[in-house]
């Protein structure tokens, strides 16, 4: 039976407002900024990042400060109770990627969300204490800062403490969302300590005293301030009171992991992106390789042939994702095979221009198996040209909806990103199997795709987005919009996106994204087109010969600031 998942709502609930690019110093005649740029989902977080850059911090210092600031001012996705990925490129071209993804608690088990007949129990992996994985964000920030930070740890954590203690003005969108989530907050937080109020108003000052204290412990004790001591106690008691699985031992053992980024080329550009346990990097590189031979530029932006070839590539790549991608520490991901140019090209050989391929005709590719509503992205470049792309998440909007009593922050519901049963869709409609089955201490597969693109050995673009399953296609289309369709960073971000993920077998597109003639041509070939709400919320930076251009997504409150 197919359930209506929150995934479908995601496309309906994100109204558009306009973003802006602000900042005075260093703005040159082309409207671009020479000394650095910060693009995030919230004006206050962008401001924090810019202040850190201006006081001499580098891109990693600013990123750490932004991650903590977002945990305060953007609680539906910014977090210390979730996880994420960072892709880094230094001014000299050194690259690194950091995995601070949540992991399954030690007591998790393969069938923990199934009933006696082996069927998924509705919402069990999505809401409440049992939905939460062991958080990774604080360990990630500590690792990133120890390796690359320049300013003192306390200096980069402090701005978030100030925002939590003194408060910040919520945006109109936030007032609407916080008001809308009251029922869930009450249901999953019996003590009703945080964010409980009959209604919120735009501009209202929100203070989070317990969160300020938690952040102070992190400021003063680093990772031990979260994974041990009072905060670990609060998390463990929260789990006991709500029937969750995360233990003090799970917290103490959590480690962020440096992984080798995956990279590939596209039309002479080098694309550096996140390896597993994200599926996003491999999928992005496959998508680019699959469409590389086609004259997208000549066909034009969102014209029938370009949409068709991109959709057919997406269909095939998501089929591969469902079979082959999972936590590489638990499952041998056939990374080298998936990334072979010849393999990607061969996947497109059965493309039929006269009719849509059916997803039932597409299976994951075969090769000699030789080798045994909510996330947020931010992009930062500093004065020296060091670049950071971070995508971080609680999974759904406000995660599991469970606040850690006493510590003042929300826990993720990332366990739903596992394949709870082979073939059963998760909240984004994604299916999977063995590669992404639940196991103790395993990381759940992700679509998050923080990415950095180089041109001629120099920094070219920093890009990423939230959007669940649509993350990969949004990053893909943003890159193609700049490289093939000559769009500026902002218009590449603004441009309407479309999405195919193998199953369900349909092309979703943003309202107004495809003109009538294109729609008729695609429908005649058998494509099922479904108009929906927003796809992605891309925050990106483009380096031009004049400076840095920001692309802050108008689908959210996102703001690009530079100097
Ligand atoms: O890691 C993932 O792929 C998902 N947990 C991301 C969720 C997401 O992007 C929700 N955003 N709007």
């Amino acid at each position: 039976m197919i359930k209506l998942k929150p995934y479908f709502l995601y496309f309906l609930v994100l109204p558009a407002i306009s973003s802006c690019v602000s900042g005075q110093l260093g703005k040159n005649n082309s409207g671009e900024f020479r000394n650095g740029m910060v693009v995030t989902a919230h004006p206050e977080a962008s401001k924090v990042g810019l202040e850190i850059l201006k006081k001499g911090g580098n891109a990693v210092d600013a990123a750490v400060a932004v991650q903590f600031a977002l945990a305060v001012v953007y609680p539906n996705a910014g977090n210390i109770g979730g996880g994420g990925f960072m892709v880094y490129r230094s001014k000299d071209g050194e690259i690194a990627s950091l995995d601070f993804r949540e992991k399954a608690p030690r007591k998790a088990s393969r069938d923990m969300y199934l009933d006696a007949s082996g069927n998924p129990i509705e919402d069990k992996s999505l809401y409440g204490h049992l939905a939460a994985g062991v958080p990774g964000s604080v360990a990630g920030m500590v690792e990133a800062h120890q390796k690359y930070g320049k300013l003192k740890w306390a200096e980069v954590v402090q701005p978030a403490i100030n925002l939590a203690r003194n408060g910040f003005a919520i945006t109109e969108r936030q007032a609407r969302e916080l008001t809308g989530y009251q029922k869930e907050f009450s249901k999953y937080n019996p003590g009703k300590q945080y964010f409980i109020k009959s209604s919120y108003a735009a501009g209202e000052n929100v203070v989070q005293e317990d969160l300020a204290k938690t952040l102070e412990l992190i400021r003063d004790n680093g990772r031990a301030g979260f994974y041990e001591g009072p905060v670990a106690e609060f998390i463990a008691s929260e789990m006991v009171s709500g029937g969750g699985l995360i233990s003090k031992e799970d917290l103490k053992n959590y480690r962020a992991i440096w992984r080798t980024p995956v990279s590939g080329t596209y039309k002479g550009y080098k694309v550096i992106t996140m390896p597993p346990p994200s599926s996003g990097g491999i999928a992005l590189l496959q998508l680019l390789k699959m469409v590389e031979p086609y004259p997208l530029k000549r066909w034009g932006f969102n014209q029938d042939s370009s949409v068709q070839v991109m959709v057919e590539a997406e269909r095939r790549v998501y089929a591969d994702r469902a079979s082959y991608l999972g936590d590489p520490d638990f499952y041998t991901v056939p990374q080298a095979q998936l990334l072979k140019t010849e393999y990607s090209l061969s996947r497109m050989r059965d493309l039929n221009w006269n009719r849509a391929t059916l997803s039932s005709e597409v299976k994951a590719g075969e090769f000699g198996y030789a080798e045994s509503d909510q996330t947020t992205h931010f992009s930062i470049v500093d004065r020296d040209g060091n670049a950071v792309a971070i995508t971080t998440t609680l999974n759904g909007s406000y995660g599991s909806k469970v606040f850690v009593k006493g510590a003042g922050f929300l826990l993720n519901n990332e366990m739903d990103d596992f394949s709870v049963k082979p073939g059963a869709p998760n909240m984004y409609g994604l299916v999977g199997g063995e590669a992404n089955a639940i196991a103790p201490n395993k990381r759940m597969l992700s679509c998050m795709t923080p990415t950095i693109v180089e041109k001629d050995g120099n920094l070219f673009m920093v890009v990423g987005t939230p959007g669940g399953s649509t993350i990969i296609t949004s990053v893909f289309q943003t890159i193609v919009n700049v490289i093939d369709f000559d769009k500026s960073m902002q218009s590449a971000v603004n441009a309407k996106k479309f999405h195919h993920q193998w199953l369900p077998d349909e092309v979703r597109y943003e309202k107004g994204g495809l003109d009538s003639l294109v729609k008729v041509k695609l429908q005649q070939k058998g494509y099922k087109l479904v108009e929906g709400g927003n796809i992605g919320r891309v925050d990106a930076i483009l380096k031009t010969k004049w400076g840095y251009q920001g692309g802050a997504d108008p689908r959210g409150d996102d703001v690009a600031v530079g100097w």
Side-chain angles (χ1 to χ4, degrees):
M1 189 186 71
I2 301 206
K3 281 189 303 180
L4 189 65
K5 291 279 187 174
Y7 155 75
F8 292 96
L9 298 177
Y10 177 75
F11 292 94
L12 306 173
V13 295
L14 304 172
I17 63 160
S18 57
S19 64
C20 62
V21 176
S22 64
Q24 303 306 321
L25 287 169
K27 190 174 182 183
N28 58 33
N29 290 337
S30 61
E32 295 167 3
F33 295 90
R34 269 188 239 111
N35 294 325
M37 180 156 255
V38 180
V39 194
T40 86
H42 197 281
E44 292 292 342
S46 294
K47 213 160 92 188
V48 163
L50 187 63
E51 276 159 16
I52 294 284
L53 291 184
K54 284 185 180 172
K55 73 193 265 195
N58 62 24
V60 172
D61 292 316
V64 174
V66 165
Q67 170 82 30
F68 285 119
L70 284 168
V72 178
V73 302
Y74 195 62
N76 52 335
N79 67 81
I80 52 176
F85 300 123
M86 172 176 101
V87 172
Y88 171 77
R89 182 186 182 280
S90 78
K91 61 179 192 315
D92 306 316
E94 175 194 346
I95 57 171
S97 67
L98 181 62
D99 161 6
F100 52 99
R101 180 72 163 165
E102 302 91 324
K103 63 174 194 171
R106 193 177 54 88
K107 288 204 186 117
S109 55
R110 189 185 179 96
D111 297 337
M112 62 188 275
Y113 300 113
L114 305 185
D115 63 18
S117 340
N119 296 317
I121 302 169
E122 183 145 20
D123 291 344
K124 203 170 178 190
S125 60
L126 272 178
Y127 293 96
H129 299 67
L130 213 51
V134 184
S137 291
V138 176
M141 293 307 100
V142 170
E143 271 295 327
H145 182 261
Q146 274 173 359
K147 187 153 181 193
Y148 293 113
K150 205 162 100 184
L151 299 183
K152 290 207 176 68
W153 173 248
E155 269 181 285
V156 294
V157 184
Q158 190 60 43
I161 299 172
N162 299 343
L163 284 164
R165 176 145 300 132
N166 305 330
F168 70 99
I170 55 172
T171 65
E172 191 194 329
R173 177 194 311 273
Q174 288 183 300
R176 220 172 31 238
E177 287 176 356
L178 285 169
T179 308
Y181 274 93
Q182 288 303 307
K183 224 166 95 192
E184 268 118 331
F185 290 165
S186 297
K187 179 165 174 197
Y188 294 103
N189 300 278
K192 298 189 175 52
Q193 274 195 310
Y194 308 108
F195 287 105
I196 298 291
K197 201 163 179 266
S198 54
S199 73
Y200 280 88
E204 189 172 331
N205 195 52
V206 169
V207 171
Q208 298 168 80
E209 184 53 35
D210 283 354
L211 181 56
K213 286 189 201 139
T214 296
L215 290 165
E216 279 170 346
L217 286 166
I218 295 169
R219 175 195 66 194
D220 299 341
N221 304 286
R223 63 163 281 138
F226 183 87
Y227 293 96
E228 295 171 53
V231 177
E233 293 285 349
F234 282 132
I235 297 174
S237 336
E238 187 61 60
M239 288 292 127
V240 170
S241 71
L245 298 182
I246 303 172
S247 65
K248 282 203 275 183
E249 188 194 349
D250 285 322
L251 292 165
K252 201 165 173 186
N253 290 340
Y254 182 87
R255 291 286 177 277
I257 302 173
W258 291 101
R259 300 195 185 269
T260 308
V262 285
S263 47
T265 56
Y266 179 65
K267 298 188 175 166
Y269 294 79
K270 183 173 175 195
V271 180
I272 301 147
T273 180
M274 193 68 209
S278 178
S279 60
I282 289 181
L284 173 66
L285 297 173
Q286 286 187 286
L287 286 169
L288 291 168
K289 264 304 153 216
M290 285 178 176
V291 304
E292 194 172 35
Y294 299 95
L296 295 179
K297 186 173 178 150
R298 177 155 61 75
W299 288 339
F301 169 74
N302 280 12
Q303 294 304 300
D304 54 319
S305 299
S306 33
V307 172
Q308 186 174 3
V309 79
M310 289 164 85
V311 160
E312 292 301 343
E314 290 171 10
R315 184 197 309 279
R316 288 157 177 77
V317 164
Y318 278 81
D320 280 356
R321 179 195 188 275
S323 280
Y324 294 129
L325 274 297
D327 181 347
D329 297 339
F330 285 74
Y331 182 86
T332 309
V333 175
Q335 184 168 312
Q337 284 88 342
L338 290 169
L339 290 179
K340 272 198 187 117
T341 302
E342 180 44 39
Y343 171 69
S344 287
L345 297 179
S346 74
R347 294 284 278 145
M348 293 295 272
R349 276 193 202 119
D350 59 353
L351 185 152
N352 180 343
W353 285 110
N354 299 322
R355 72 161 179 91
T357 307
L358 300 174
S359 283
S360 54
E361 298 166 335
V362 173
K363 301 276 172 283
E366 287 175 11
F367 36 72
Y369 211 123
E371 266 177 37
S372 20
D373 198 350
Q374 190 77 9
T375 302
T376 189
H377 174 85
F378 52 95
S379 296
I380 299 179
V381 181
D382 66 23
R383 188 174 197 154
D384 294 328
N386 302 303
V388 171
I390 287 187
T391 313
T392 180
T393 188
L394 289 168
N395 194 23
S397 203
Y398 304 101
S400 61
K401 323 292 185 267
V402 174
F403 286 92
V404 177
K405 201 168 179 176
F409 64 89
L410 279 158
L411 286 168
N412 66 82
N413 61 343
E414 220 72 62
M415 291 296 282
D416 188 65
D417 272 354
F418 278 116
S419 176
V420 303
K421 182 189 175 182
N426 74 357
M427 76 181 281
Y428 302 104
L430 292 168
V431 292
E434 186 54 38
N436 191 31
I438 304 174
N441 298 318
K442 184 175 174 183
R443 280 149 147 93
M444 53 296 280
L445 186 61
S446 173
C447 284
M448 293 188 289
T449 314
T451 297
I452 295 177
V453 183
E454 281 179 6
K455 184 185 183 185
D456 304 327
N458 298 311
L459 179 66
F460 179 67
M461 192 192 296
V462 189
V463 58
T465 183
S469 56
T470 67
I471 289 175
I472 302 167
T473 43
S474 301
V475 170
F476 167 51
Q477 288 167 34
T478 305
I479 292 174
V480 165
N481 284 344
V482 172
I483 294 179
D484 293 275
F485 300 128
D486 297 323
K487 291 188 184 291
S488 69
M489 193 70 262
Q490 189 63 58
S491 49
V493 168
N494 295 357
K496 303 283 187 188
K497 312 283 189 305
F498 54 88
H499 174 73
H500 196 295
Q501 60 179 47
W502 181 47
L503 297 174
D505 189 351
E506 61 190 28
V507 182
R508 265 170 280 130
Y509 66 98
E510 290 183 290
K511 193 168 194 301
L514 300 177
D515 70 36
S516 338
L517 187 60
V518 168
K519 280 195 274 193
V520 169
K521 284 185 184 164
L522 290 169
Q523 276 159 341
Q524 278 169 350
K525 290 180 180 181
Y527 288 93
K528 182 177 174 208
L529 304 180
V530 179
E531 184 181 275
N534 295 336
I535 298 181
R537 200 178 287 182
V538 179
D539 281 343
I541 298 172
L542 185 70
K543 186 166 187 321
T544 70
K545 58 183 170 184
W546 311 111
Y548 298 109
Q549 262 184 19
D553 206 313
R555 297 166 182 82
D557 297 328
D558 307 39
V559 171
V561 292
W563 70 304

